[in-house]
Amino acid sequence: MNLKHLFELQAKLDKRIYKEHPPKEGEDRLAEKILALQVELGELANELPEVFKFWSNKKNNYEKALEELVDCLHFILSIGLELDFTDIDVWKVKEATTINQFIECFGTIYNMHFQKRVNGEVTIEMYEHLFACFIGLGEMLGFTWDQVKQAYLNKNNINHQRQESGY
C-alpha cells in the first residue's frame, strides 16, 4: 500500500486550511486533530448501530459509514503530516470483534495524545499502530482499500471546494 500520493494530497489541503485558518497563539493543532479524529470515529460508529446499539433496531448505513471512515483517514493523514510521519510501514491490526476494533482505535488515539502530553513526543510506531487499526477496521466493515482510497479522493475534492466557499 503506497500512501505517498494520499499524503501529498492531504498536505495540499492542510496547507490551504492553514492559510485560510492560521493557528492562533498557543493553539495546539495536533491536539485538535486528535480530538477531531475521535469525533469522526464516533460518527463512524454511529452509522453502524448494528455493531453496538443493542437497544435499537436501526440498520447499518454503509454509505454514510464510508464517508465517516474517509473523514477519519483525512485526520489520520493530517496527524502524520503534523508529526512528520509520512514514510511508514503499513500493516493491519484486527481484533476479534468490530467493537474491540473500535475500542482499540480509540485507545491508540488517546495513547498518542497522552504520550505527547507526558513525554513531549509521539513515536512513529504509535502512529503506525493507529494506521494499522484503521486499516483493520475498514476491512472488518467490508470496505476494500480501493473503495476507501476512491472515497478519500472524492472527499478531498469536496474539502477543497468547501475552502473555496468559506467553509
Side-chain angles (χ1 to χ4, degrees), residues 124-157:
I124 193 166
E125 292 82 10
M126 293 177 80
Y127 179 73
E128 289 173 336
H129 186 78
L130 170 61
F131 223 108
C133 290
F134 172 78
I135 298 297
L137 180 60
E139 285 187 8
M140 291 177 84
L141 297 175
F143 299 116
T144 67
W145 179 247
D146 286 339
Q147 285 176 297
V148 173
K149 185 176 174 183
Q150 187 57 54
Y152 172 87
L153 297 173
N154 296 342
K155 184 64 181 271
N156 191 270
N157 288 332

Side-chain angles (χ1 to χ4, degrees), residues 20 22 27 34 44 51 59 69 71 74 84-85 130 136 151:
E20 297 294 324
E27 184 177 356
I34 288 171
L44 170 60
V51 171
K59 298 296 179 197
L69 188 72
D71 288 344
H74 272 87
D84 199 27
F85 295 156
L130 170 61

Side-chain angles (χ1 to χ4, degrees), residues 79-119:
I79 289 167
L81 290 164
E82 189 89 18
L83 296 169
D84 199 27
F85 295 156
T86 58
D87 185 20
I88 62 170
D89 291 326
V90 180
W91 69 91
K92 62 185 161 203
V93 169
K94 284 179 137 178
E95 295 291 329
T97 67
T98 307
I99 290 171
N100 287 345
Q101 191 73 17
F102 268 105
I103 293 168
E104 182 69 18
C105 287
F106 274 111
T108 301
I109 297 164
Y110 172 76
N111 287 338
M112 286 176 58
H113 176 67
F114 181 78
Q115 287 300 315
K116 176 71 172 155
R117 284 182 45 229
V118 172
N119 298 330

Side-chain angles (χ1 to χ4, degrees), residues 4-17 33 70-71 73-81 152 156 159-160:
K4 182 179 179 187
H5 181 62
L6 296 183
F7 275 117
E8 289 170 355
L9 292 173
Q10 189 63 46
K12 288 178 186 174
L13 179 61
D14 284 1
K15 183 177 179 182
R16 186 171 193 175
I17 290 170
K33 291 176 184 183
V70 166
D71 288 344
L73 180 56
H74 272 87
F75 285 108
I76 291 171
L77 292 168
S78 188
I79 289 167
L81 290 164
Y152 172 87
N156 191 270
N159 287 340
H160 276 285

